[in-house]
Amino acid sequence: QVQLVESGGGLVQPGGSLRLSCVASGVPLSRWPANWYRQAPGKERELVVHVGYTDDSTTFADSVKGRFTISRDNDKNAMYLQMNSLKSEDTAVYFCSVKVFAAKWNDYWGQGTQVTVSS
């Protein structure tokens, strides 16, 4: 059974930083394409970063380029989203997801972690 658990969200002032964690069980994160998404109140879910599984390439949303970075710890089967220079518009629930192929492609999601950027 695939499970993803996010953590690390919280309240931070504009300009501050947070690091979100996504720990997986039941699937090796490094073998499959993975993503961080976010959803702000009243808005559609937005892709923050996509991590490829063939070459570890990353594709960031324009809104976070230069401020967010991503890393992986394969020993812990985890990936991390480092968010710097946070802005109020980064306020959202952040989700990690992984796409796994087993006869067909399946998407798995975590429960999300709230990030609030406010003074």
Side-chain angles (χ1 to χ4, degrees), residues 8-62:
L11 173 64
V12 63
Q13 292 187 343
S17 298
L18 280 175
R19 189 178 82 148
L20 305 185
S21 301
C22 173
V23 179
S25 59
V27 64
L29 267 183
S30 61
R31 285 190 58 191
W32 302 105
N35 308 283
W36 281 98
Y37 282 83
R38 66 186 181 186
Q39 188 165 21
K43 294 189 177 181
E44 293 188 355
R45 194 167 291 191
E46 172 192 22
L47 178 65
V48 177
V49 58
H50 169 77
V51 184
Y53 69 113
T54 56
D55 59 359
D56 254 2
S57 61
T58 56
T59 304
F60 287 89
D62 288 342

